[in-house]
Amino acid sequence: MRVTVTKMNGSGNDFVMIDNRDRELSLDGPQVAALCDRRRGVGADGLILLEPANGYDFFMRFFNADGSPAEMCGNGACCSSYFAAALGHGVASGEGTRIHFLTGSGPVEALVRGDRVSVRLMDARGMRRHVPVAVAPEGSDVHFMTVGTRHAIVPVVDAAAMTGDEVVRWGRTLRNDPTFAPQGANVNFASIAADGRVVLRTYEKGVEAETLACGTGSIAAAVLFAHEGRLAPPARILQRSGDELRAAFVLTDDGACDVVLEAPVAVNFVGTTDI
């Protein structure tokens, strides 16, 4: 079967986007993994299907690069909003196009303004401080929070100074720690730079590698630092790609509410491929 795909990225976090509003396409895990393969397929950190949803503009069905389904992805939500607006979804206003859609973690509201998208996400919740893990980088504590998906947050002295090998080695170890079993967790190494920005490095489960950006992980790290009194929202979060995400939120006892993520998106190309 030949399908049209749109390759997009949000701050370097890239996705295969497919319009499946007619529900003609049903993909299994191996097919998703093949499409996301960077040598034999289109290549991406994940795949997103836009599907119909009663009362919403669409449903965002998200898969990790290994073919496993996942509930939520922040940069994926931003790309989906832009993609849906280009397909004619949403309500135009003076500010841009407003989109209301459903994810596996709940509803999301978005505002598409050119190549920047703001998404109002689900609450950051379930914060656990100083989680006991088998092994962690020397001198680092590990914390946990859910922002639509699960995150282990590891404050470090300088996330930018970590090598790629260190991110992968520690990320893989913590992602598979028994404390986070059986689902695992994305692992976000974070620090605060001299200019006040959060610096983020991410090991993403389902990709099993470092990714260039993480939207929900950016929220998790910023909320943790705000709880520690190290920053006040809104926060600016520097990604591995060099792009900056912005996060607004209101602190709660176990995380934050009124969470809004703003991020850049881009279309890389549109093409067709056989499945």
Side-chain angles (χ1 to χ4, degrees):
M1 180 179 183
R2 195 155 188 83
V3 299
T4 298
V5 300
T6 298
K7 174 72 177 289
M8 291 191 68
N9 80 88
S11 300
N13 199 186
D14 58 346
F15 308 96
V16 175
M17 315 290 301
I18 299 177
D19 177 7
N20 195 37
R21 291 173 296 172
D22 56 11
R23 293 188 184 275
E24 288 189 355
L25 192 61
S26 179
L27 297 177
D28 59 24
Q31 288 174 316
V32 171
L35 284 167
C36 292
D37 189 296
R38 295 193 181 277
R39 292 177 175 82
R40 299 177 182 272
V42 178
D45 294 328
L47 181 144
I48 297 172
L49 298 174
L50 261 65
E51 298 184 339
N54 290 333
Y56 298 90
D57 287 308
F58 63 91
F59 176 74
M60 184 185 96
R61 189 173 302 281
F62 178 70
F63 297 89
N64 293 312
D66 65 1
S68 60
E71 297 86 1
M72 180 57 191
C73 173
N75 284 310
C78 291
C79 287
S80 295
S81 302
Y82 183 98
F83 186 54
L87 292 173
H89 282 290
V91 177
S93 69
E95 296 179 283
T97 302
R98 296 194 175 276
I99 304 283
H100 189 212
F101 63 100
L102 193 61
T103 73
S105 292
V108 172
E109 296 178 4
L111 177 62
V112 180
R113 293 173 291 188
D115 61 357
R116 291 196 73 85
V117 179
S118 298
V119 288
R120 181 174 293 276
L121 301 177
M122 52 290 304
D123 292 351
R125 56 182 176 80
M127 182 175 63
R128 287 188 281 146
R129 305 289 301 280
H130 310 291
V131 176
V133 294
V135 182
E138 185 176 355
S140 296
D141 287 323
V142 179
H143 313 278
F144 177 84
M145 194 180 308
T146 298
V147 188
T149 190
R150 296 158 56 85
H151 291 278
I153 310 106
V154 188
V156 295
V157 174
D158 185 359
M162 295 182 70
T163 67
D165 286 345
E166 288 174 323
V167 171
V168 170
R169 176 164 53 90
W170 287 114
R172 182 177 294 129
T173 298
L174 290 168
R175 175 258 189 274
N176 291 298
D177 191 274
T179 298
F180 305 121
Q183 302 100 316
N186 297 318
V187 183
N188 303 107
F189 303 94
S191 59
I192 298 182
D195 61 7
R197 292 189 295 180
V198 176
V199 180
L200 195 77
R201 303 286 293 277
T202 298
Y203 180 91
E204 192 165 339
K205 68 183 179 72
V207 181
E208 308 307 334
E210 181 177 9
T211 54
L212 294 182
C214 183
T216 53
S218 294
I219 298 288
V223 169
L224 175 72
F225 285 147
H227 271 278
E228 293 182 340
R230 301 180 62 187
L231 63 78
R236 299 177 299 148
I237 306 98
L238 181 65
Q239 309 298 302
R240 182 69 178 89
S241 64
D243 288 323
E244 180 180 286
L245 275 58
R246 298 178 184 178
F249 49 86
V250 176
L251 294 182
T252 61
D253 289 343
D254 73 336
C257 63
D258 297 332
V259 175
V260 177
L261 175 71
E262 181 185 340
V265 299
V267 174
N268 298 100
F269 61 81
V270 179
T272 60
T273 188
D274 290 318
I275 296 177

